[in-house]
Amino acid sequence: MYDIKALYEAQSVADAVRLRLEHPQAQIIAGGTDVLVQMREGKRAGAELISIYGLDELRGVSLDGEENIRIGSLTSFSHITKDPVIQRYINVLGEAVDQVGGPQIRNAGTIGGNTCNGVTSADSASTLFAWDAVIELTGSQGVRRLPIQDFYLSAGKVDLRPDELQTAILIPRDSYESCFGHYIKYAMRNAMDIATTGCSVNVVLSGDRRTIRRARIAYGVAGPIPMRCPSAEAAAKGKPLTDGTVEAFAAAVLEDIRPRDSWRASKAFREHIAVELARRCLREACELAGGAME
Amino acid sequence: MSTQYKRIRCVVNGKSVERMVDVRASLTDLLRNDFRLTSVKKGCEVGECGACNVIIDGECFNSCLYLAAWADGKEIRTLEGLLGPGGELSDIQQAFIDEAAIQCGFCTPGFIMTAVEILESGRAYTDEELRKLLSGHLCRCTGYENILRAVKKTMMKRLEASRGQGGAV
Ligand code: FES
Ligand code: FES
């Protein structure tokens, strides 16, 4: 038995919004892989829960009218990995979420839950940051969309208003078009563990595949919230595919990130890992895009 | 505060059932206490060990992290559902015995249900893929190699059999 005071099961998105307003103190539960563990640990003992798990309309991946990729917030990690739209346009996201927990956790855990936790170690976050994902929130006033950078406010805190729930994550068309990416998770112990550092890089190459037209990079756990590295991105933009470009890109990462010392890893070690991950991810992304290093 | 209940209807091991469930109950609680399906083990109860693993609508879930209330409308399978009409063991269960993939047996039902999901996909997997697919389970006794062997052997046998029948592989 969980120490649950009351369970309110939403029958629709509108019903969930109503329940949010009616029970402001209640916690939303989606796949349960985080909330139920926290309840077991006694952190949310005696909580009231609003369950949105039954809202099948929030499951699945599709292309919307403007050909943006629309990922329903309740889509499980395993369904994201297996989805043909994801595999075709943003395969790296499927690969990244395939590294969350173990297989059963990936069947239960949802991308929306993963992003609403506001945990920097979330495996999905760095890739979503690196691809300029847009978060769709539905509340009593209607739908609001905001860039994922603005959705994450501070460690453990996201911009979710008291009447809102996250209903989708969008990857805009101009973000995924001709874009190829790679993700590496560095952890002391693989799987069944939260990512120590996750690095996601993606590139768009020029028509002749000799120049980097656009490079984007984001880290999880490099700072208090997932973050992009504008200096590194600028260092690679418009540059030829050479070792020198890769080195300049990787070195510039240190101008952007602020790793911290913790019992998991020292600052110096995190910096070393961050540079190495940037280097490897960029090389791999360029290769996936069909570019050959000179 | 009085206890909150919910009426659920679901299919458990092929049988339609209806129950009033305490909303605080996990699916593990429901399967063990209401249906006496004690192959579903309580290990860590935080989603780490896989001892409570069951198949819900064709996919594996740790039932310790699943509300009993969510079972409404679902099709649930546990190890008990694998037995033949006379209580015969299924091929995968027999393989666990033959390969000594079982010692104390606590992890076994969870592992076997994951193996069932793997086998029913009808696909052939490499050892590396199988290791990853089985990675959501902890075993304190066997050292995993025998478990991998039992799953692999059954996978080969079934693929062989379907090939024999001219089935697609
Ligand atoms: S008891 Fe459910 S995963 Fe351990
Ligand atoms: S056989 Fe004992 S835990 Fe696996």
Side-chain angles (χ1 to χ4, degrees):
Chain A
M1 294 279 174
Y2 291 99
D3 191 357
I4 299 171
K5 189 163 155 210
L7 176 72
Y8 313 109
E9 288 190 277
Q11 305 302 318
S12 64
V13 171
D15 191 35
V17 168
R18 181 187 62 79
L19 287 168
R20 290 274 282 149
L21 289 167
E22 226 166 81
H23 308 284
Q25 66 296 339
Q27 163 73 35
I28 299 180
I29 178 168
T33 52
D34 290 312
V35 170
L36 291 177
V37 170
Q38 289 160 358
M39 296 202 86
R40 286 268 191 243
E41 289 168 348
K43 275 190 210 139
R44 295 184 189 277
E48 292 174 48
L49 300 179
I50 296 172
S51 168
I52 58 169
Y53 194 64
L55 303 182
D56 284 337
E57 64 263 44
L58 298 184
R59 293 198 162 81
V61 181
S62 56
L63 289 176
D64 71 10
E66 286 141 31
E67 286 185 47
N68 304 312
I69 299 170
R70 183 188 172 83
I71 308 170
S73 291
L74 287 181
T75 311
S76 67
F77 296 123
S78 60
H79 284 206
I80 287 174
T81 303
K82 281 185 261 184
D83 189 87
V85 172
I86 297 288
Q87 288 177 354
R88 176 151 181 215
Y89 297 112
I90 178 170
N91 193 38
V92 59
L93 181 63
E95 290 172 353
V97 300
D98 195 37
Q99 298 182 38
V100 181
Q104 299 97 290
I105 297 295
R106 292 194 287 273
N107 283 340
T110 66
I111 186 111
N114 200 226
T115 46
C116 281
N117 279 333
V119 195
T120 52
S121 49
D123 272 298
S124 60
S126 44
T127 297
L128 292 175
F129 266 68
W131 289 69
D132 291 307
V134 172
I135 304 292
E136 181 191 276
L137 304 155
T138 304
S140 50
Q141 308 298 319
V143 172
R144 157 170 101 96
R145 288 180 171 182
L146 71 169
I148 190 162
Q149 279 93 335
D150 299 338
F151 182 61
Y152 279 73
L153 297 174
S154 58
K157 224 178 133 28
V158 294
D159 183 8
L160 187 68
R161 293 179 186 158
D163 63 329
E164 285 180 332
L165 74 152
Q166 192 203 95
T167 42
I169 296 176
L170 303 150
I171 310 293
R173 181 175 162 177
D174 54 351
S175 169
Y176 70 76
E177 244 178 357
S178 314
C179 188
F180 295 85
H182 188 63
Y183 171 74
I184 300 178
K185 167 181 180 166
Y186 180 87
M188 304 288 180
R189 193 172 139 253
N190 262 324
M192 306 301 283
D193 195 2
I194 53 175
T196 299
T197 296
C199 175
S200 196
V201 173
N202 60 79
V203 296
V204 175
L205 299 185
S206 59
D208 62 3
R209 294 177 184 168
R210 285 163 178 272
T211 312
I212 297 174
R213 190 170 280 166
R214 180 185 74 194
R216 295 180 293 184
I217 173 169
Y219 288 97
V221 204
I225 51 173
M227 60 185 304
R228 288 279 288 271
C229 299
S231 312
E233 294 179 9
K237 192 179 169 70
K239 298 282 159 35
L241 261 69
T242 60
D243 287 340
T245 302
V246 174
E247 290 314 312
F249 172 82
V253 154
L254 293 180
E255 291 168 34
D256 298 310
I257 61 168
R258 302 175 297 273
R260 60 190 168 85
D261 277 306
S262 84
W263 62 270
R264 278 180 192 275
S266 71
K267 181 169 180 286
F269 180 69
R270 283 175 198 267
E271 287 182 348
H272 172 77
I273 293 295
V275 169
E276 188 56 33
L277 293 180
R279 193 180 278 142
R280 291 189 193 179
C281 281
L282 180 64
R283 278 185 185 281
E284 184 63 30
C286 288
E287 225 157 87
L288 288 169
M293 283 286 161
E294 279 167 25
Chain B
M1 216 191 100
S2 62
T3 311
Q4 184 189 349
Y5 288 97
K6 179 190 177 190
R7 178 179 300 281
I8 63 159
R9 290 185 189 83
C10 55
V11 176
V12 178
N13 292 332
K15 264 205 292 201
S16 298
V17 293
E18 191 174 328
R19 278 288 185 290
M20 288 298 282
V21 300
D22 187 325
V23 298
R24 298 169 303 167
S26 69
L27 180 60
T28 315
D29 292 326
L30 174 73
L31 295 171
R32 287 182 62 87
N33 302 344
D34 288 52
F35 299 110
R36 298 275 164 237
L37 296 170
T38 51
S39 74
V40 185
K41 303 299 183 204
K42 284 196 174 189
C44 63
E45 295 204 79
V46 289
E48 296 272 353
C49 74
C52 62
N53 177 43
V54 300
I55 297 180
I56 304 173
D57 288 349
E59 295 179 2
C60 283
F61 287 80
N62 290 329
S63 61
C64 69
L65 293 187
Y66 198 95
L67 295 178
W70 288 344
D72 190 33
K74 300 281 194 288
E75 196 202 323
I76 298 158
R77 294 163 68 196
T78 70
L79 182 93
E80 286 84 349
L82 300 181
L83 294 177
E88 308 89 347
L89 296 180
S90 57
D91 56 353
I92 181 69
Q93 289 168 292
Q94 189 60 50
F96 266 64
I97 298 170
D98 296 344
E99 296 300 320
I102 177 167
Q103 284 185 37
C104 80
F106 195 82
C107 67
T108 314
F111 261 115
I112 289 185
M113 294 319 283
T114 286
V116 167
E117 191 190 339
I118 294 171
L119 295 168
E120 289 182 356
S121 75
R123 280 188 44 200
Y125 298 92
T126 63
D127 285 10
E128 201 189 326
E129 287 171 326
L130 286 178
R131 281 204 176 88
K132 183 167 183 221
L133 290 166
L134 293 165
S135 68
H137 297 272
L138 297 178
C139 174
R140 302 303 303 269
C141 308
T142 67
Y144 303 104
E145 280 305 314
N146 295 355
I147 293 172
L148 181 74
R149 214 170 293 136
V151 177
K152 190 176 168 183
K153 184 172 131 184
T154 314
M155 177 183 81
M156 297 301 202
K157 271 198 184 154
R158 285 203 193 178
L159 290 170
E160 196 67 27
S162 74
R163 215 172 284 143
Q165 290 163 6
V169 180

